[in-house]
Amino acid sequence: MGGNHTQIKFILLGITDSPYSQTPLFVFFLLIYIVTLVGNVGIIILVRVSPSLHTPMYFFLTHLAFTEVCYSTVISPRMLADLLSEDKTISFSNCMIQFLIFAFFATIECHLLAMMAYDRHIAICQPLLYASIISSHVCWQLVASSYLFAFLSAIICTWSIYGGTFCGPNHIDHFFCDFVPVLKLVCSDTHSSEMVIFAFVTINIVGMSVITVLSYISILHTVLRMCSAQSRARAFHTCASHLMSVALLYGTAFFMYLQPPSSHRSLGKVASIFYALINPMLNPFIYTLRNKEVKGALVKCGRRFFNHWTVSEQLPPHRAFSTCNIPACWRRNLQRGADTESTIQTMAQSNCTQVTEFSLAGFTEDPVTQVNLFLLFLLTYLVTMLGNLGIIILIRASPHLHSPMYYFLGNLAFVDLCFSTIITPKMLVDLLLEKKSTAYAGCIAQVFLLDLFGITEYFLLASMAYDRYVAICYPLLYPLVLPPKCCFQLVAGSYLMGLTNGVGQTISMSTLSFCSSSTINLFFDIAPLISLSSSDTTLSHIILTTAASLFGVSSILVILLSYVAIIPTILSINSDDGKRKAFSTCTSHLTTVSIFYGASFFMYLNPSSDSSRGGDKWAVVLYTMVTPMLNPLIYSLRNKEVKEALRRLLKIKLSLTY
């Protein structure tokens, strides 16, 4: 793999070259796109506001509608712009991103349709166990796993296609960057890419279609054994909409990708239009025109709107599934076949009430101290915002800072900004309120975002250590070893590791039940939440330990090994000035690493008995608020290039002003 891809521009040939056909096609596809948006967004809103549709089947349907809105939006606006523009060029990076997002959401759709088939299988074949097998937690886990698996699959597939060398023609015979026409432009050997695509298709398309087929074989066998003709008709009716969606999606996908390459030019574009544009438009109609429940909910919503019914008459969204109110510890007993009456009696005796919100302990109950802390933390947050935004803007506006080191620094500033914003505003609000509570959903969201950006920062610091290692140990090879493409891959890999950790920790937390104490220190982290759970936490502890070992230890090893190689190289430099200059390029990074890892080790490696003491609270402040504030100051006050760029930018501003 190789080649300079940053300067490559592709030309999308589109659907037709005829100027007389382009305007009618623009109007036609614009109408399709508007109907797609209105239909799918309407489905999402209707399911959200209608309590009768708060079931697993419609939960999957809303995610299907969201997916179709997203991957239609990836293609349609660009195609519409190309129909009216003479310049149909698209950069290499934009083409790659378009395919990545399209592959991501198209893969999710395959998984969602398989889940909906499994949902229908349980509803028809095991109706008495339906509520216990397809619970709200199971639904969330299935959907979250499909998003995670689709993201990993799309990343690998995109990397295999766009990691090749493009040195020949740059005309893509399509209206978007699909992998078949793009792969034809690769000059290097595409055998490995084709093997990756084959595996991608086998796992995601063939694998999901097999699940769908097996589900319907079981459904058909169960339905044919029903005595009543009315029951058979009702069972078939609940599957009709899903079967039509499956037939449309897989029919056009198989036609588009399994036909001989020679015939792809004409019929492939038509199949792609059905696959990427027509299907997302048709699915809302399929699920409304053929579904009595959806039509009934639509009529009820219309009546509510025209009769000015109040919002309070609608049930809140967290009452989506009836099994959601049963604690996970007791729901698992029911799923394992425990006697229902004995389980209910045990629940009544234990008086186990599922927690729907958590309380934050805060720093102090003294009102004077709270006001002082509010002012202190508000000032810290403002400095953090200004400093990190300033670093990002300065790097973007200064051409001589467009180097790998500052590319990583810009991403580090963005992560620090997000990391601080997740915690500080909530902490500031709680300092002024008597009731310091947060809903369960808000708690899960904060855990996910903290784990996402926390692990991303670990790997960004490791990438910056590797950058310093190459710059000092191999200065002549530095531009070749760390080109823009490699820097982008390192940053994308950091975010991917963070996302993987966030999804894994969130899924493990969603399996826990909380029936007693719900008070937590300062912010929601996975470790104190596990300690509050009244259910079995073995799996959560295993996931937490694995993530800490895999992500935390690996990033620390990269940093340590980099500096183990850097120090002898610096000491071997003959010139004192050269040694000083080499050390100065590392001091900012070393200071940031020391503060960040020192605070995190103190916070997470503390004995559990000390977890509620005052020292731990201030370690949290140092880890989540002070470190993001200090990083811009460390990299600006100790860095001549940053100070010089800031001086130049101020001179330009002053000259423009006067």
Side-chain angles (χ1 to χ4, degrees), residues 327-599:
C329 49
W330 306 115
R331 186 163 58 246
R332 279 192 289 271
N333 292 337
L334 289 170
Q335 292 169 2
R336 291 167 185 162
D339 182 65
T340 306
E341 289 188 10
S342 62
T343 303
I344 293 173
Q345 288 175 2
T346 309
M347 286 174 60
Q349 291 170 2
S350 64
N351 194 24
C352 178
T353 304
Q354 182 78 349
V355 172
T356 58
E357 63 179 24
F358 293 89
S359 300
L360 294 168
F363 279 91
T364 178
E365 296 180 358
D366 181 24
V368 177
T369 308
Q370 286 179 345
V371 172
N372 292 332
L373 288 174
F374 174 84
L375 295 174
L376 176 63
F377 294 153
L378 178 61
L379 180 63
T380 303
Y381 183 57
L382 291 175
V383 173
T384 302
M385 293 282 288
L386 291 173
N388 286 288
L389 281 174
I391 286 287
I392 295 169
I393 294 169
L394 185 65
I395 292 171
R396 291 282 294 177
S398 304
H400 72 282
L401 295 183
H402 291 177
S403 64
M405 174 181 171
Y406 296 105
Y407 177 72
F408 293 129
L409 178 58
N411 281 279
L412 181 68
F414 171 73
V415 169
D416 280 335
L417 198 65
C418 296
F419 194 75
S420 182
T421 301
I422 295 164
I423 295 169
T424 311
K426 174 65 178 172
M427 193 181 292
L428 291 172
V429 171
D430 287 341
L431 282 169
L432 298 181
L433 294 177
E434 290 184 8
K435 186 181 180 183
K436 300 174 176 62
S437 61
T438 300
Y440 180 78
C443 176
I444 288 183
Q446 193 179 72
V447 168
F448 170 74
L449 293 172
L450 276 175
D451 287 324
L452 166 62
F453 289 111
I455 294 299
T456 301
E457 183 152 1
Y458 278 107
F459 280 96
L460 282 176
L461 289 172
S463 301
M464 295 172 79
Y466 176 71
D467 168 75
R468 292 300 83 206
Y469 158 71
V470 176
I472 293 172
C473 299
Y474 302 98
L476 298 178
L477 297 176
Y478 183 64
L480 297 176
V481 177
L482 282 176
K485 178 188 173 183
C486 182
C487 295
F488 175 78
Q489 290 170 349
L490 286 171
V491 170
S494 301
Y495 282 100
L496 177 60
M497 292 298 103
L499 180 66
T500 304
N501 180 63
V503 171
Q505 300 291 0
T506 306
I507 291 174
S508 74
M509 180 187 162
S510 66
T511 62
L512 303 176
S513 60
F514 302 90
C515 301
S516 55
S517 174
S518 61
T519 303
I520 296 177
N521 252 348
L522 299 180
F523 73 99
F524 299 104
D525 200 8
I526 188 68
L529 284 168
I530 290 175
S531 65
L532 288 179
S533 176
S534 57
S535 56
D536 184 15
T537 60
T538 305
L539 178 61
S540 299
H541 278 295
I542 292 172
I543 293 174
L544 181 61
T545 306
T546 304
S549 304
L550 184 64
F551 299 130
V553 176
S554 62
S555 60
I556 293 170
L557 281 176
V558 171
I559 294 171
L560 289 176
L561 291 174
S562 297
Y563 279 104
V564 165
I566 286 170
I567 291 171
T569 304
I570 293 176
L571 295 175
S572 64
I573 298 173
N574 296 324
S575 167
D576 291 337
D577 187 49
K579 289 180 182 178
R580 194 180 303 109
K581 191 179 294 182
F583 270 121
S584 68
T585 61
C586 300
T587 50
S588 300
H589 179 258
L590 275 173
T591 306
T592 301
V593 167
S594 302
I595 295 173
F596 184 74
Y597 279 98

Side-chain angles (χ1 to χ4, degrees), residues 108-146:
I108 291 172
E109 182 162 15
C110 294
H111 286 252
L112 287 173
L113 288 173
M115 291 173 197
M116 294 171 79
Y118 176 70
D119 170 76
R120 292 299 84 204
H121 158 69
I122 299 297
I124 294 172
C125 300
Q126 297 176 302
L128 298 178
L129 296 176
Y130 179 69
S132 59
I133 295 175
I134 309 291
S135 63
S136 60
H137 281 172
V138 170
C139 292
W140 274 110
Q141 288 166 4
L142 287 171
V143 170
S145 63
S146 71

